[in-house]
Amino acid sequence: MPNFVSLPGFRDFYPDDLAVRDYIFRVWRDVARRYGFQEYDGPPLEPTELYIEKSGPEIVQQLYNFADKGDREVALRPEMTPTLARMVGARAGGMRKPVKWFAIPQLFRYERQQRGRLREHFQLNFDIVGDEGVGADVELLAAAIDVCRAFGLTADDFVARISDRRLLRALLVHAGVPEDRLSLVYNIVDKLEREGPDGVGERLSREAGLGPSVVSEVLAIFAHRDFDAVRNAYGSVEEIGEPIARMHQLFDDLEAMGLSRFVRFDLGIVRGLAYYTGIVFELFDVRGELRAIAGGGRYDDLMGRVSPADLPALGFGMGDVVLKELLIDRGLLPSLSPGVDDYVIGVTPDERSEVLRLVRALRDAGRSVDYSLRPLGVGKQLKAASGMGARRALILGPDEVAAGVVVARDMAAGTEERVPLTSLFPEELSLS
Ligand code: HAM
């Protein structure tokens, strides 16, 4: 007997699962609307080239890529940012800046399957193109925080950890990391939390070829957890003045927005993707039990590498997988059983045509309505009505049809009343 199952890391969305997904998308779209972001989409399949080098080695290793029948090297999109950069770049000249766009693509990464990581996921993307000022970083972070708040999550549930690639870059160069190995080093130190200083130190020497003193200088950078500690330790490094001032501004603005309790400076936030150039951030659950809820930052050079428009840009992505786990864990998923407004019941098979007419008229009037497709006893029909979460049962027997009424049963309260059929729907749709 054949018994097909879905591929590892790919989900079936049964109706209950889809109801949750829809709920998440609804909240995402609502926050996007409140922030004035416009929705777009792009192709799920792109030239592999779009991701090579731009996204960095981690994502390239995880590509679902192949040669198509026309011998084109193609890949299922593992992320949306290169597509966004390509699309905005192609028409940037005629667009009002800043461009504020959002999308909810399904993305594909051949990852090792683990809690919070699948081989496909849906990812909310917010991006702002055409503004190099820190005000745009503030707006983006506020949006990321407000997306979480819109689900009922509080500062006891999540925190945005923020760093700056320019600051980190200055510190790494100061520690002796050669410029041409910076992206490799970003990629390795991004795993500090998961692999620990020993594991990361070993990779820094083996994979990035750094000498022992440079490795220990690099690891020392991440021992400084807060802003003041970094400033005190590296105040003499000339290049850090600007990123430090920018970070101050960011925190001041977030405070003015009343969002300070959701943010924390953390140099350990590096981001695995290659294209980030400025402020970067990730959102985590406060208890530290789950993978990142969201991540993003500024990528001022990417647009110029995939399109004719060399514009500053920044954005973040938030997946549906970790978010859903967190909402379940905190009891924040609302009851989503859709049910129907009415379930129409015929007492005997003789009322069949009245039942069908009533169903039709109610549906035309915009109500959600169901009924038994086959003749069934009243008891079974009532059971079906309650099984599918109908809010009201409308019962038609021979007496009701003769009197032009229907018994309306409030399914939650269990109360019944006889109501004229004409009161149920507009005059022109009446049964008679
Ligand atoms: P990312 O950090 O690779 O960034 O992904 C963002 C979020 O997507 C993660 O924090 C996580 O919630 C979710 N995610 C990523 N991979 C998986 C997976 N395999 N399974 C489940 N969820 C996953 C980016 O993709 C950037 N392109 C975001 C961005 C937009 N940067 C600028 N604009």
Side-chain angles (χ1 to χ4, degrees):
M1 282 273 271
N3 184 14
F4 288 109
V5 293
S6 61
L7 289 167
F10 284 77
R11 293 168 291 178
D12 291 327
F13 286 90
Y14 285 84
D16 285 350
D17 309 311
L18 198 69
V20 173
R21 184 174 109 188
D22 271 351
Y23 166 70
I24 289 175
F25 286 12
R26 258 200 319 279
V27 174
W28 280 351
R29 287 200 166 93
D30 187 54
V31 179
R33 180 190 59 75
R34 286 198 266 137
Y35 272 77
F37 280 73
Q38 280 185 298
E39 188 162 6
Y40 71 99
D41 200 359
L45 200 65
E46 288 272 25
T48 306
E49 183 61 25
L50 189 62
Y51 306 107
I52 304 287
E53 287 182 22
K54 281 97 189 168
S55 299
E58 184 166 278
I59 277 220
V60 169
Q61 279 163 23
Q62 297 169 344
L63 279 181
Y64 271 93
N65 61 318
F66 54 96
D68 74 3
K69 292 193 168 72
D71 272 338
R72 289 174 207 89
E73 289 299 328
V74 293
L76 284 171
R77 57 186 175 194
E79 59 155 338
M80 198 60 176
T81 314
T83 300
L84 166 102
R86 179 177 65 67
M87 286 173 63
V88 174
R91 297 202 184 161
M95 288 180 181
R96 210 167 4 90
K97 314 289 183 314
V99 176
K100 290 168 78 178
W101 277 12
F102 84 99
I104 309 181
Q106 189 173 23
L107 305 177
F108 305 89
R109 298 183 189 179
Y110 198 86
E111 290 215 44
R112 199 163 53 79
Q113 206 185 319
Q114 50 190 307
R115 187 165 182 216
R117 286 291 178 273
L118 301 175
R119 290 185 175 164
E120 56 74 25
H121 71 284
F122 288 90
Q123 193 190 81
L124 171 68
N125 276 248
F126 272 40
D127 288 272
I128 303 175
V129 181
D131 193 315
E132 72 285 340
V134 69
D137 301 78
V138 172
E139 173 79 346
L140 187 72
L141 258 157
I145 292 167
D146 276 347
V147 171
C148 290
R149 290 181 58 230
F151 287 100
L153 294 165
T154 69
D156 293 332
D157 300 310
F158 75 97
V159 63
R161 289 155 58 178
I162 308 172
S163 182
D164 189 327
R165 277 265 177 113
R166 283 164 289 204
L167 179 59
L168 188 57
R169 181 194 160 84
L171 296 178
L172 289 173
V173 170
H174 177 72
V177 176
E179 300 253 347
D180 62 351
R181 259 164 280 164
L182 277 171
S183 357
L184 189 54
V185 169
Y186 288 147
N187 219 267
I188 297 171
V189 295
D190 182 47
K191 304 288 177 297
L192 203 54
E193 200 144 327
R194 240 175 294 156
E195 297 175 9
D198 290 348
V200 163
E202 194 267 320
R203 285 182 62 193
L204 284 172
S205 74
R206 184 168 43 84
E207 292 173 34
L210 304 183
S213 64
V214 178
V215 169
S216 65
E217 287 284 319
V218 168
L219 292 175
I221 294 172
F222 298 98
H224 303 291
R225 279 287 158 191
D226 64 58
F227 218 25
D228 293 334
V230 170
R231 216 179 4 194
N232 293 341
Y234 301 102
S236 60
V237 181
E238 201 185 307
E239 294 83 356
I240 74 166
E242 204 189 314
I244 289 271
R246 196 178 298 112
M247 191 67 75
H248 260 303
Q249 182 70 51
L250 179 88
F251 281 106
D252 283 353
D253 284 2
L254 288 170
E255 182 165 8
M257 285 176 143
L259 298 176
S260 304
R261 63 191 186 286
F262 295 100
V263 293
R264 202 172 78 207
F265 174 75
D266 184 346
L267 257 189
I269 296 303
V270 182
R271 306 281 298 133
L273 292 158
Y275 46 67
Y276 293 109
T277 54
I279 288 172
V280 286
F281 61 89
E282 279 184 289
L283 272 59
F284 286 92
D285 68 298
V286 166
R287 294 184 203 159
E289 290 164 354
L290 306 170
R291 305 290 303 265
I293 307 164
R298 185 172 271 286
Y299 52 97
D300 285 347
D301 300 339
L302 181 64
M303 299 267 317
R305 285 171 36 216
V306 301
S307 82
D310 192 6
L311 289 168
L314 62 163
F316 75 85
M318 178 184 296
D320 62 335
V321 181
V322 177
L323 177 65
K324 180 177 164 185
E325 282 181 11
L326 184 60
L327 295 177
I328 292 173
D329 189 62
R330 302 293 194 272
L332 286 171
L333 270 187
S335 153
L336 294 164
S337 73
V340 288
D341 296 325
D342 301 317
Y343 194 97
V344 183
I345 294 173
V347 176
T348 75
D350 291 344
E351 284 82 54
R352 182 87 186 150
S353 53
E354 282 78 11
V355 166
L356 292 178
R357 259 191 284 170
L358 180 54
V359 166
R360 167 95 240 130
L362 290 166
R363 284 178 175 165
D364 272 2
R367 294 182 66 80
S368 62
V369 185
D370 211 346
Y371 65 103
S372 173
L373 301 180
R374 311 183 278 128
L376 278 183
V378 178
K380 285 210 166 133
Q381 292 186 69
L382 274 171
K383 210 164 154 197
S386 110
M388 70 178 322
R391 285 170 281 281
R392 184 170 73 167
L394 295 170
I395 306 161
L396 281 164
D399 296 347
E400 286 76 26
V401 171
V405 296
V406 63
V407 175
R409 180 183 174 88
D410 181 317
M411 296 295 286
T415 53
E416 288 185 353
E417 58 175 338
R418 287 164 79 82
V419 296
L421 273 168
T422 48
S423 72
L424 288 178
F425 40 81
E427 203 66 38
E428 66 271 20
L429 297 172
S430 85
L431 288 181
S432 48

